[in-house]
Amino acid sequence: MVDGTNVVRELTVDLGERSYPIYIGEGLLQETSAYLEQHGVSKKSSLMIISDDNTAPLYLDTLVSSLTNAGYTVASAVVPAGEASKSLSMFENLITKALEAGLDRKSTIIALGGGVVGDLAGYVAAAYMRGIRFVQIPTTILAHDSSVGGKVAVNHPHAKNIIGAFHQPAFVLFDLKTLQSLPLRQVQCGLAEVIKHGLIWDESFVDWCDENMDKLLALDPEALGYALYKGCSVKAAVVSVDEREGGLRAILNLGHTIGHALEAVAGYGELTHGEAIAIGMIGSALVGVKLGAPQSVYEVTKRVFGKSGLPTRLPAHFDTDAIMSAMMHDKKFTEGSIVYVVPTAIGRVEVRSDVAASLVRETVEQLKQEADWQ
Amino acid sequence: MVDGTNVVRELTVDLGERSYPIYIGEGLLQETSAYLEQHGVSKKSSLMIISDDNTAPLYLDTLVSSLTNAGYTVASAVVPAGEASKSLSMFENLITKALEAGLDRKSTIIALGGGVVGDLAGYVAAAYMRGIRFVQIPTTILAHDSSVGGKVAVNHPHAKNIIGAFHQPAFVLFDLKTLQSLPLRQVQCGLAEVIKHGLIWDESFVDWCDENMDKLLALDPEALGYALYKGCSVKAAVVSVDEREGGLRAILNLGHTIGHALEAVAGYGELTHGEAIAIGMIGSALVGVKLGAPQSVYEVTKRVFGKSGLPTRLPAHFDTDAIMSAMMHDKKFTEGSIVYVVPTAIGRVEVRSDVAASLVRETVEQLKQEADWQ
């Protein structure tokens, strides 16, 4: 699809009757109504946009105007930005708003924002009347990851993402212009998942990231569009094979076993998700080398994250016992054994269930000793 | 399957990879562990039983002993009996209990109780870690209905069953002995859904109910086993064609448009669900006759419900305006038009979207004038 001047990249997440397209291009936000029409969204049933108070001031009016001008009835709800909004009480508030707005079974919920909004709005859409249509308009690079695969959830005070569903969107609309306002730290955070998709699947894309990191950090639209397309493509390929996390999808957790534990110990605040998993992926590379992967796996991983400005070592004040304990509560433990994603080469990983906790503990300690990348 | 002395009836709810069996027989509760083993439920992951404080004193110990003796690790949670437990806060409590019990992705949640427990426990299973295995052990006749089709949900203060999912059980175990303790009003309530399954699908089964009502009310095991088997079979046939309520499944709502409105107006307490939909089905028969069905549709419907001791008229103090208003909030309204299930003969219904609100209002008024069945 071409919208006049700019090429719109399109890819399909292939999930049988739940397949859906992802559109990536500049200025797509204003064209949301056309995409809704193309996907058969009726104007007789209300829409509800869910956004956050960082994103809404920038883009909500544009979106609402575009939709109301096209004849849609639109309600909107704005939640505080940040992980704390992924709570069951916020979920309940949004269900109440959906009821008040008169949403019915043919209504659509649109997530306008990053991963928090996507997860929260997606879970509202999954649960409301046992599931209504859902559209994602991600406004962060990080959300390229969560927008593929239909995992939606809210947090429980004791565990992240423990209350959720698999609920695939009808489509995903990535407007590259909305990414221009991202602060550097958010850009880096998103790039962590982009790079992860290279590390698990595509060595040449890791090389490309390595060579084009300056352009990505400068938010060059062509480079960014390509990187999002590649990142989404890898995720889509994995998810198409394993929609409900039976097997292959586990490789997407590269860096996440340590990463989630770091986020939990840091109280979901000190480290961004991207920073946590960047450190986690350095840790995974260390584990990989210990288990026989070439030293270059570690060197390339560290170099790419270093260039992106993401942390490559664990701040010394993190308590190793607390990290190990948080890992034991992670939902990737099944029947007492730990599922750990270990790189065997750049672009290749394996899921192992025989990684000893002592080896992981040793790696966590080692991460505190890492030199900064220069 | 035969368990020594008693025949166990078995039927399959055919939903492709989500297909599951329903077992109906006497004394199955003590054999739950054998059924779990047969269905590949590992002993390495904890189970959690969710029951209510009416059911638990009668059957929880038996179930727990049977499971622990077989080597399963079992946690249990008991909620107050009644619709009020189908709340988001109870749902959250149960998620907390599941976390505390260390449930993982291979764990199983067992619902031991009636429809409330099934809906609540089912939604916990649907949401916990985005969905874990679920087993139903219904202890009411009414629950034969909710145990087929995977609809699970909790209520919102403004709307019933508005927060939910489709989550199919691994299997359903009906122990006829657990039904012997049911109070008469609960028996009648369950028979309302049994009769409904005849009315929408199977004239000969309606005739059978008409002739065998005394045995059913006396909880004769053979009659009860047959009636549950037939009721589940009709529901299973409908659900197999239309798992996610796209079309045919709407016929299961016979009597429910008025019925749900009555329950809402009565505050979910004064009338049981069965009583509300019995009145609703008399109303549907009246609507059917107004729209051209033979008078006998009304007469047979009224006679069968009358024999069962269910109400056949609406108490005069119910406010018609309030009932009509409650109907407008029901989720079966889509894009402003009302979906109404109208009988055309005994054992046959059609889903119409052209039933005028004025006709329904007239019917509600008429239900207050109905003579008692004698």
Side-chain angles (χ1 to χ4, degrees):
Chain A
M1 188 186 287
V2 174
D3 75 324
T5 51
N6 301 301
V7 174
V8 177
R9 289 184 168 90
E10 177 179 342
L11 66 109
T12 300
V13 183
D14 183 8
L15 296 167
E17 62 182 17
R18 289 181 298 281
S19 293
Y20 63 92
I22 299 177
Y23 306 103
I24 304 168
E26 288 189 84
L28 302 191
L29 188 66
Q30 288 93 325
E31 297 174 27
T32 305
S33 62
Y35 285 93
L36 288 172
E37 283 167 14
Q38 184 187 326
H39 284 268
V41 176
S42 161
K43 288 173 184 172
K44 292 183 193 165
S45 293
S46 295
L47 310 174
M48 185 163 91
I49 302 166
I50 297 177
S51 190
D52 67 69
D53 60 8
N54 279 348
T55 309
L58 299 171
Y59 308 116
L60 184 57
D61 284 353
T62 304
L63 180 56
V64 170
S65 307
S66 147
L67 297 174
T68 50
N69 289 343
Y72 284 104
T73 305
V74 186
S76 55
V78 177
V79 305
E83 188 76 20
S85 283
K86 272 178 62 177
S87 67
L88 209 49
S89 65
M90 190 61 75
F91 166 80
E92 186 171 21
N93 290 346
L94 291 169
I95 294 281
T96 305
K97 288 217 170 196
L99 279 167
E100 288 168 355
L103 265 61
D104 64 29
R105 290 178 178 206
K106 296 195 175 170
S107 286
T108 299
I109 287 178
I110 300 176
L112 174 69
V116 165
V117 162
D119 281 5
L120 175 62
Y123 192 50
V124 172
Y128 189 74
M129 294 183 169
R130 297 194 184 87
I132 63 172
R133 196 191 281 108
F134 172 47
V135 166
Q136 288 232 49
I137 306 182
T139 60
T140 66
I141 299 170
L142 182 62
H144 91 280
D145 180 51
S146 52
S147 69
V148 182
K151 285 173 71 172
V152 295
V154 296
N155 299 326
H156 180 280
H158 303 165
K160 226 184 142 184
N161 290 327
I162 208 76
I163 302 168
F166 289 89
H167 191 61
Q168 306 298 341
F171 64 89
V172 176
L173 211 60
F174 244 112
D175 183 347
L176 295 170
K177 284 191 180 166
T178 65
L179 305 177
Q180 298 300 318
S181 57
L182 284 176
L184 177 63
R185 200 171 172 206
Q186 288 302 317
V187 171
Q188 292 168 323
C189 178
L191 291 177
E193 292 280 7
V194 170
I195 295 165
K196 183 199 78 179
H197 288 127
L199 289 173
I200 63 174
W201 199 262
D202 187 342
E203 183 175 12
S204 68
F205 180 51
V206 175
D207 291 343
W208 182 93
C209 289
D210 196 15
E211 288 158 21
N212 292 275
M213 193 56 75
D214 289 349
K215 285 184 188 170
L216 288 173
L217 290 169
L219 297 169
D220 172 78
E222 176 52 29
L224 205 53
Y226 177 76
L228 288 173
Y229 177 80
K230 292 294 285 183
C232 289
S233 298
V234 170
K235 177 103 185 244
V238 173
V239 166
S240 296
V241 173
D242 177 26
E243 184 178 359
R244 294 186 68 90
E245 285 197 304
L248 183 65
R249 198 158 165 162
I251 69 172
L252 297 168
N253 288 321
L254 179 70
H256 282 61
T257 302
I258 290 177
H260 277 163
L262 297 183
E263 286 183 274
V265 169
Y268 305 132
E270 184 181 350
L271 291 173
T272 67
H273 178 67
E275 289 161 356
I277 64 163
I279 298 169
M281 283 186 270
I282 308 285
S284 302
L286 286 168
V287 169
V289 171
K290 285 179 211 289
L291 295 174
Q295 179 71 13
S296 61
V297 167
Y298 164 71
E299 286 161 5
V300 171
T301 302
K302 186 160 179 178
R303 185 175 70 235
V304 175
F305 284 117
K307 280 190 182 178
S308 75
L310 285 157
T312 56
R313 71 168 162 183
L314 178 62
H317 67 83
F318 274 79
D319 181 60
T320 302
D321 286 340
I323 292 167
M324 295 307 294
S325 166
M327 252 183 259
M328 302 307 291
H329 279 86
D330 194 280
K331 64 186 179 304
K332 281 181 288 298
F333 286 77
T334 176
E335 297 187 2
S337 69
I338 172 167
V339 176
Y340 203 94
V341 187
V342 183
T344 56
I346 295 296
R348 270 180 61 192
V349 294
E350 60 181 7
V351 181
R352 297 181 62 147
S353 53
D354 62 347
V355 176
S358 58
L359 188 81
V360 177
R361 172 181 282 273
E362 177 188 305
T363 302
V364 169
E365 281 296 323
Q366 210 171 334
L367 283 168
K368 297 185 190 173
Q369 317 300 327
E370 284 289 296
D372 284 330
W373 181 85
Q374 5 82 54
Chain B
M1 187 185 286
V2 174
D3 76 324
T5 51
N6 301 300
V7 174
V8 177
R9 288 186 169 87
E10 177 178 343
L11 65 108
T12 299
V13 184
D14 184 7
L15 295 167
E17 62 181 17
R18 288 181 298 282
S19 293
Y20 63 92
I22 299 178
Y23 306 103
I24 304 169
E26 288 189 85
L28 302 191
L29 187 67
Q30 287 93 325
E31 297 175 26
T32 305
S33 62
Y35 285 93
L36 288 173
E37 284 167 14
Q38 184 186 327
H39 284 268
V41 176
S42 161
K43 289 173 183 169
K44 292 183 192 164
S45 293
S46 297
L47 310 175
M48 185 163 90
I49 303 165
I50 298 177
S51 191
D52 66 68
D53 60 8
N54 280 348
T55 310
L58 298 172
Y59 308 116
L60 184 58
D61 283 352
T62 304
L63 180 57
V64 170
S65 307
S66 148
L67 296 174
T68 50
N69 289 344
Y72 285 104
T73 306
V74 186
S76 55
V78 178
V79 305
E83 188 77 20
S85 283
K86 272 178 62 178
S87 68
L88 209 49
S89 66
M90 190 60 76
F91 166 79
E92 186 171 20
N93 290 346
L94 291 170
I95 294 282
T96 305
K97 288 217 171 195
L99 278 167
E100 288 168 355
L103 265 62
D104 63 29
R105 290 179 175 204
K106 296 197 175 169
S107 287
T108 300
I109 287 178
I110 301 175
L112 174 69
V116 165
V117 162
D119 281 5
L120 175 63
Y123 191 50
V124 172
Y128 189 73
M129 293 183 171
R130 297 195 182 85
I132 63 172
R133 196 191 283 107
F134 173 47
V135 167
Q136 289 231 49
I137 305 182
T139 59
T140 66
I141 298 170
L142 181 62
H144 91 279
D145 180 51
S146 53
S147 69
V148 182
K151 284 172 72 172
V152 294
V154 296
N155 299 326
H156 180 279
H158 303 165
K160 227 183 142 184
N161 291 327
I162 208 77
I163 302 169
F166 289 90
H167 191 61
Q168 305 298 341
F171 64 90
V172 176
L173 211 61
F174 244 112
D175 182 348
L176 296 170
K177 285 192 179 165
T178 65
L179 306 178
Q180 298 300 319
S181 57
L182 284 176
L184 177 62
R185 200 173 172 204
Q186 288 302 316
V187 171
Q188 292 167 323
C189 178
L191 291 178
E193 291 280 7
V194 170
I195 295 165
K196 183 199 78 180
H197 289 127
L199 289 173
I200 63 174
W201 199 262
D202 188 342
E203 183 176 12
S204 68
F205 181 51
V206 175
D207 291 342
W208 183 92
C209 289
D210 196 15
E211 288 158 21
N212 291 275
M213 193 57 75
D214 289 349
K215 286 185 187 168
L216 288 173
L217 290 169
L219 297 169
D220 172 79
E222 175 53 29
L224 205 53
Y226 177 75
L228 288 172
Y229 177 80
K230 291 295 285 183
C232 288
S233 298
V234 170
K235 177 102 185 242
V238 173
V239 166
S240 296
V241 173
D242 177 24
E243 184 178 0
R244 294 186 68 90
E245 283 197 305
L248 183 66
R249 197 158 166 161
I251 70 173
L252 297 168
N253 288 320
L254 179 71
H256 281 61
T257 303
I258 289 176
H260 277 164
L262 298 183
E263 286 183 275
V265 168
Y268 304 131
E270 185 181 348
L271 292 173
T272 67
H273 178 68
E275 290 162 355
I277 64 163
I279 298 169
M281 283 185 270
I282 308 285
S284 302
L286 286 168
V287 169
V289 171
K290 285 179 210 288
L291 295 173
Q295 178 72 13
S296 62
V297 167
Y298 164 70
E299 286 160 5
V300 171
T301 302
K302 186 161 177 177
R303 185 175 70 234
V304 175
F305 284 117
K307 280 191 183 178
S308 75
L310 285 157
T312 56
R313 72 168 161 185
L314 178 62
H317 68 83
F318 274 80
D319 181 60
T320 302
D321 286 341
I323 292 168
M324 295 307 293
S325 165
M327 252 182 257
M328 302 307 291
H329 279 86
D330 195 281
K331 63 187 181 303
K332 281 182 288 298
F333 285 78
T334 176
E335 296 187 5
S337 69
I338 172 167
V339 177
Y340 203 93
V341 187
V342 184
T344 55
I346 294 296
R348 269 180 61 192
V349 294
E350 60 181 7
V351 181
R352 296 181 63 148
S353 53
D354 62 347
V355 176
S358 59
L359 189 82
V360 177
R361 171 181 284 272
E362 178 188 304
T363 303
V364 169
E365 282 295 323
Q366 210 171 332
L367 283 169
K368 297 185 190 173
Q369 317 301 326
E370 285 288 296
D372 285 331
W373 181 85
Q374 5 81 54

